[in-house]
Amino acid sequence: MKITFFSTKPYDKQFFDACNKDYGFEIEYYETHLGPHIVNTVSDSIAVCAFVNDKLSAEVLEVLAAKGVKTIALRCAGFNNVDLEAAKKLGLNVCRVPAYSPDAVAEFALSLMLTLNRKTHKAYNRVREQNFSLNGLLGFNMKGKKVGIIGTGKIGYSLCKILLGMSCTVFAYDLFKKNELETIGVEYLPLDEVIKLSDILSLHCPLNDDTYHLINEETIATMKPGVMIINTGRGALIDTRAAIEGLKTRKIGYLGIDVYEQEDKLFFRDLSSKIITDDDIQRLMSFPNVLVTAHQAFFTNEALETIADVTLNSIDSLIKGSTLRDPSVLL
Ligand code: NAD
């Protein structure tokens, strides 16, 4: 039984090969993204395993279904790049890894906050140059700051608990409230209130029609001057051009993004000897108060082990028609 992988990196092979010892699938690894340019090369595969920026449009899914693929296994949580309606019509199973390590992402969101605040990335370089001055490294205490969490699912929940542990005031907005969070001190407020009151805003909702450009010119105008915005969700939650304007006017005091609207042309690749033609990312990286990381919030040992385990277990169960260990993997 063959599974074809796309967007494969050396660490994917490491973790999937180790896990596959329990399953014995034939695994074909492609480094390239999945899209119309490559889909025709898939042959004799029962499943295709894709990652965050692979494009599973109706066109791609039709070719895969015609070639006998039965399962699309996303080795990630987000599924905004899959045409689920088309998959359903074609009879394809689509599964994902809903919770490989919410803590990994929540802890990374905190690390973006702390790095931007205390400027440890600048201090590291400075001290290596024997510059021991503190000028320009002034930060603020997290204790007592108002942090707004948009989306209190698995990742938002974990981050709320971390921030409460740091004595922050935590506001939240979600379509559904979590009583456990209210009990421990999180205050749910309407979205516009969370945006207006927060010193730090962290985005943890999925990308969909309702959340596309949630952070835009209008919402930025209502924020506190000097607000810190953290995005480990999906790039298009933020209108990048509006964020750039907000940084230029100093309305936005700090921006930490692990995801970027146009990341599929950049992230997960070494482009250090290439000319980058995306002017927005270059402009963002030119601000001293912006920190960009390349979709690494999930990237821990624990998360990669879980991703491999859940993905291969789901494919195995779907092939055998046996009960899924966790039915919520199926979309
Ligand atoms: P989850 O499904 O557990 O939680 C999402 C929450 O968002 C839910 O509580 C849902 O009710 C809420 N929500 C839905 N629509 C909303 C809206 N319009 N406004 C406010 N809240 C809304 O998902 P999760 O595991 O916590 O992950 C959240 C997102 O983080 C994922 O969708 C994915 O895009 C992103 N993610 C990023 C990385 C990374 O490495 N950077 C890794 C994993 C997940």
Side-chain angles (χ1 to χ4, degrees), residues 9-272:
K9 300 292 174 199
Y11 46 82
D12 292 313
K13 288 186 194 169
Q14 179 194 332
F15 283 87
F16 273 93
D17 284 348
C19 182
N20 193 37
K21 290 194 177 108
D22 294 338
Y23 294 94
F25 288 114
E26 180 190 343
I27 297 187
E28 175 179 49
Y29 292 113
Y30 282 107
E31 279 179 36
T32 179
H33 278 60
L34 174 56
H37 66 292
I38 188 83
V39 66
N40 275 302
T41 60
V42 175
S43 72
D44 302 324
S45 286
I46 192 89
V48 158
C49 185
F51 194 50
V52 281
N53 291 323
D54 289 316
K55 297 278 185 293
L56 289 135
S57 60
E59 180 193 2
V60 168
L61 293 171
E62 272 163 30
V63 177
L64 292 176
K67 284 174 168 282
V69 170
K70 301 285 180 224
T71 296
I72 306 296
L74 304 170
R75 53 180 192 282
C76 55
F79 50 90
N80 48 293
N81 281 336
V82 187
D83 187 332
L84 288 178
E85 226 167 276
K88 202 170 182 184
K89 277 190 201 141
L90 292 161
L92 288 164
N93 291 311
V94 183
C95 62
R96 63 172 177 146
V97 189
Y100 39 87
S101 183
D103 301 323
V105 183
E107 289 167 16
F108 193 82
L110 177 75
S111 78
L112 288 178
M113 285 176 204
L114 291 177
T115 307
L116 278 168
N117 170 5
R118 304 304 299 270
K119 304 167 184 68
T120 41
H121 56 316
K122 291 180 191 289
Y124 172 80
N125 287 322
R126 205 181 261 203
V127 169
R128 283 166 67 92
E129 296 289 328
Q130 300 174 46
N131 174 354
F132 302 105
S133 120
L134 298 182
N135 292 332
L137 299 183
L138 193 65
F140 57 81
N141 284 12
M142 290 293 286
K143 183 176 178 180
K145 289 294 173 296
K146 298 183 173 80
V147 188
I149 305 296
I150 300 179
T152 52
K154 293 174 284 297
I155 295 168
Y157 175 87
S158 173
L159 185 57
C160 284
K161 289 180 71 174
I162 292 172
L163 293 166
L164 288 171
M166 297 174 79
S167 302
C168 295
T169 298
V170 183
F171 299 133
Y173 171 73
D174 196 304
L175 305 179
F176 308 97
K177 292 181 184 177
K178 274 201 163 83
N179 290 338
E180 316 95 272
L181 285 179
E182 286 186 304
T183 314
I184 57 174
V186 171
E187 187 180 356
Y188 279 93
L189 293 171
L191 179 61
D192 56 342
E193 289 287 300
V194 174
I195 288 177
K196 199 169 71 185
L197 296 174
S198 299
D199 300 301
I200 301 172
L201 273 169
S202 198
L203 310 180
H204 302 286
C205 53
L207 174 64
N208 55 37
D209 291 346
D210 293 335
T211 60
Y212 177 78
H213 285 186
L214 184 85
I215 304 299
N216 56 47
E217 194 184 336
E218 287 79 40
T219 50
I220 291 170
T222 67
M223 291 177 192
K224 276 189 167 179
V227 64
M228 179 188 290
I229 303 173
I230 301 294
N231 188 11
T232 60
R234 281 290 179 268
L237 295 176
I238 297 182
D239 176 346
T240 307
R241 297 270 166 94
I244 290 171
E245 281 312 306
L247 285 156
K248 280 159 75 174
T249 61
R250 297 174 175 70
K251 180 80 172 182
I252 299 175
Y254 313 80
L255 178 69
I257 54 171
D258 185 50
V259 286
Y260 168 62
E261 268 192 294
Q262 310 299 337
E263 71 175 50
D264 57 336
K265 298 186 188 78
L266 301 167
F267 286 7
F268 306 114
R269 277 169 258 183
D270 178 1
L271 302 179
S272 51

